[in-house]
Amino acid sequence: MAAALDLVGGPVLPVVVVEDAREAVPLARALVAGGLPAVEVTLRTAAALDAVRAVADEVPEAVIGAGTVVSARAAADAVAAGARFLVSPGWTGGLLDAMDAAGVPYLPGVSTASEVVALLERGVRDMKFFPAQAAGGAPYLSALAGPLPRARFCPTGGVTAATAPAYLALPNVPCVGGTWVVPPDAVAARDWRRVERLAREAAGLSRRGADRCG
């Protein structure tokens, strides 16, 4: 099974909140066209699972994932809908077991060195660093790179186009998670050209961290 962060295929993982499942397919197509094949649909709305299902069925070139996975039921439902990876804001032993049993790659959320060590003990190398900016940002992850070189992170939470390059320059950051690629007003207006343009700009961000992180 591929590692979770190897599925992203770009420097930015778009984090999407879908209110209307009918928007999911054109949104995913715009992101893929802009060079960001992976999409994380957060399980925060009633439309989320239908959105995952629609993208899985109609946009095979997209790598659709589900975020805000906080229960075993959510993990199972997301995979049944077609999610190819799972993302959680944090983890417990039970949630980790459930995501492992789901049979797809996953990114458990961490914000402390102790959580990172605990996951490495369980053989989990790829993690979500959340909430990235509030938890210490790029300087914090830079400090972890020395003592914990095997851990790889997708920082999410407060990351912007302006702050993303600092993360991507780190050896332990293959990609960042970002909402800025999919502005709510662009989705509301169904301005898929704008989404594609923002995706293309994000796809062009430096991936020095990704290239150095094996």
Side-chain angles (χ1 to χ4, degrees):
M1 183 168 60
L5 292 179
D6 293 336
L7 289 178
V8 175
V12 178
L13 172 62
V15 180
V16 180
V17 178
V18 179
E19 300 289 350
D20 184 343
R22 292 173 296 182
E23 297 167 344
V25 167
L27 175 59
R29 286 175 175 158
L31 292 169
V32 171
L36 299 179
V39 184
E40 176 191 333
V41 174
T42 62
L43 301 184
R44 301 180 193 175
T45 68
L49 287 175
D50 285 338
V52 170
R53 188 174 294 107
V55 174
D57 290 344
E58 300 183 43
V59 194
E61 62 271 31
V63 182
I64 185 67
T68 322
V69 174
V70 294
S71 68
R73 176 65 180 272
D77 287 349
V79 172
R84 293 173 58 184
F85 64 93
L86 303 172
V87 184
S88 71
W91 65 277
T92 65
L95 180 58
L96 201 69
D97 289 342
M99 290 193 292
D100 193 53
V104 298
Y106 55 91
L107 290 173
V110 299
S111 59
T112 69
S114 294
E115 292 171 312
V116 175
V117 171
L119 286 177
L120 288 173
E121 283 185 348
R122 293 190 57 153
V124 178
R125 182 186 179 199
D126 288 1
M127 310 169 197
K128 171 181 177 175
F129 179 54
F130 177 83
Q133 289 294 99
Y140 187 86
L141 288 183
S142 177
L144 291 184
L148 301 170
R150 293 188 62 250
R152 305 196 304 175
F153 303 94
C154 178
T156 307
V159 181
T160 67
T163 60
Y167 287 104
L168 293 169
L170 300 175
N172 53 355
V173 177
C175 64
V176 299
T179 59
W180 83 86
V181 183
V182 188
D185 59 333
V187 176
R190 301 195 173 187
D191 189 351
W192 309 127
R193 288 187 178 181
R194 181 182 172 198
V195 172
E196 181 179 341
R197 175 177 58 79
L198 290 170
R200 186 170 291 109
E201 292 171 357
L205 290 173
S206 170
R207 295 194 67 209
R208 284 181 293 170
D211 293 340
R212 289 155 52 194
C213 190

